[in-house]
Amino acid sequence: MPQALADRLAVIRAGMEAAAKAAGRDPASVTLTAVSKTQPPGAIDEALACGLRVFGENRVQEAQTRWSDRRAGLPDLELRLIGPLQSNKAGDAVALFDVIETLDRPKLIGALAAASSKSGRSPRLLVQVNSGEEPQKAGVAPRDVDALIAEARAAGLTVEGLMAIPPADEEPILHFALLAKIATRNGLDVLSMGMSGDFEAAIRLGATHVRVGSALFGERNLDLMPSRG
């Protein structure tokens, strides 16, 4: 019989707690973001029944169909956009998400500032850092992070932290340490780093949010993934 989500959640929380304590940190200082992208409605409802309230989504349109109706009855729900954001979707993203973790270019700063001014709603922002400078991956190069943060702040946006996805074939600890260093020099308190396979290492390096999908929900349901067309 497949392991129930509640059982997988217990294992994840135990790992988070152990990692935090090993680093001399309060386990309550680390938030679990349930990566709900591509998950069927039943899995989302099961996660909510287990008490999870912080969810990460990759695509604005998919998140709208998943959360628009559910949101009304969940005042403590926090939605975080963890996938790349197109500038022409900035208005929809500002309307739906509490946190956008993927600010990575000046053009998006302008789009988010305009959308926030128009709607009166200002999601908190994280700058996505392409710590491995991988050409196929979104994010700003480490050398350009400080300037992008300064530009976003000058535009009146609230940048509270950084997000990164280390290269799959490299030791993630080096990338987590780099992210923590950039955050410190910019006075940022939030670090969204660490996923299913490395969240414990990320917590030891200062992660405040870990994004866990497959370890929580099981392997991704490819049949439910939206097309790119």
Side-chain angles (χ1 to χ4, degrees):
M1 180 178 295
Q3 189 179 29
L5 189 148
D7 295 332
R8 294 192 293 266
L9 176 59
V11 171
I12 293 165
R13 289 211 182 280
M16 292 174 61
E17 181 176 357
K21 288 182 176 179
R25 300 178 59 193
D26 180 357
S29 68
V30 187
T31 298
L32 172 61
T33 299
V35 179
S36 49
K37 61 181 183 180
T38 78
Q39 294 301 323
I44 303 301
D45 292 337
E46 188 178 359
L48 290 168
C50 288
L52 290 170
R53 290 295 182 271
V54 182
F55 290 84
E57 291 282 348
N58 260 37
R59 295 175 181 273
V60 175
Q61 188 172 356
E62 182 187 355
Q64 287 173 323
T65 62
R66 188 191 309 287
W67 293 106
S68 293
D69 292 339
R70 287 185 174 90
R71 170 143 235 182
L74 297 167
D76 55 344
L77 180 71
E78 181 174 278
L79 296 180
R80 306 177 72 93
L81 180 63
I82 60 175
L85 176 61
Q86 298 175 0
S87 297
N88 63 0
K89 295 287 186 180
D92 290 336
V94 165
L96 180 64
F97 289 97
D98 303 290
V99 182
I100 295 172
E101 298 197 8
T102 50
L103 175 60
D104 65 353
R105 59 196 186 279
K107 183 178 180 180
L108 190 53
I109 289 174
L112 289 170
S116 295
S117 177
K118 182 177 180 179
S119 68
R121 192 171 191 272
S122 299
R124 287 131 43 215
L125 303 174
L126 275 60
V127 169
Q128 181 175 354
V129 182
N130 187 343
S131 60
E133 300 194 45
E134 299 172 274
Q136 80 281 10
K137 188 178 290 183
V140 61
R143 62 182 174 275
D144 298 323
V145 174
D146 294 3
L148 190 71
I149 292 171
E151 185 173 345
R153 286 170 168 167
L157 298 176
T158 302
V159 178
E160 67 174 15
L162 305 174
M163 184 270 263
I165 306 171
D169 58 350
E170 294 185 20
E171 172 54 61
I173 290 177
L174 300 177
H175 296 269
F176 297 153
L178 172 63
L179 207 67
K181 181 178 180 180
I182 297 172
T184 296
R185 71 171 181 247
N186 283 283
L188 301 173
D189 297 324
V190 175
L191 288 172
S192 175
M193 58 188 194
M195 299 185 290
S196 289
D198 55 20
F199 67 83
E200 291 162 313
I203 290 170
R204 291 194 292 271
L205 270 294
T208 62
H209 293 71
V210 294
R211 308 180 306 275
V212 180
S214 59
L216 178 63
F217 291 103
E219 290 304 315
R220 189 179 305 176
N221 190 335
L222 296 178
D223 291 338
L224 292 175
M225 291 185 68
S227 69
R228 293 182 180 271

